């Protein structure tokens, strides 16, 4: 996982800062949904935060995988071009 997204306590978990940012977006989403005339329950909010958290963790893992693949390809290219 990307160092900016990873927790300083458990690198496999999403950082508390990112989780806090996600939780701060929940009231905004709730206000927008209420303005549209829809009510949401507490379990829906928890599910929303978990899904967004999983998406961000997945994107971080994908970015790391792309960086590893690019680095390996570049290393092979430099090693064999001489």
């Amino acid at each position: 996982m990307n160092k900016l997204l990873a927790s300083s306590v458990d690198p496999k978990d999403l950082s508390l800062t990112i989780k806090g940012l996600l939780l701060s977006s929940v009231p905004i989403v709730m206000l927008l949904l209420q303005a549209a005339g829809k009510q949401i329950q507490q379990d829906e909010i928890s599910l929303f935060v978990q899904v967004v958290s999983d998406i961000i963790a997945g994107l971080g893992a994908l970015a790391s995988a792309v960086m590893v693949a690019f680095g390996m390809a570049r290393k092979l290219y430099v090693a064999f071009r001489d």
Side-chain angles (χ1 to χ4, degrees), residues 39-57:
Q39 295 290 337
I40 61 173
Q41 304 300 321
Q42 182 66 32
D43 58 335
E44 292 173 326
I45 294 170
S46 298
L47 179 63
F48 171 76
V49 170
Q50 184 62 42
V51 167
V52 172
S53 175
D54 291 344
I55 289 170
I56 290 176

Side-chain angles (χ1 to χ4, degrees), residues 55-73:
I55 289 170
I56 290 176
L59 289 175
L62 179 63
S64 295
V66 168
M67 289 171 26
V68 167
F70 179 75
M72 288 176 68

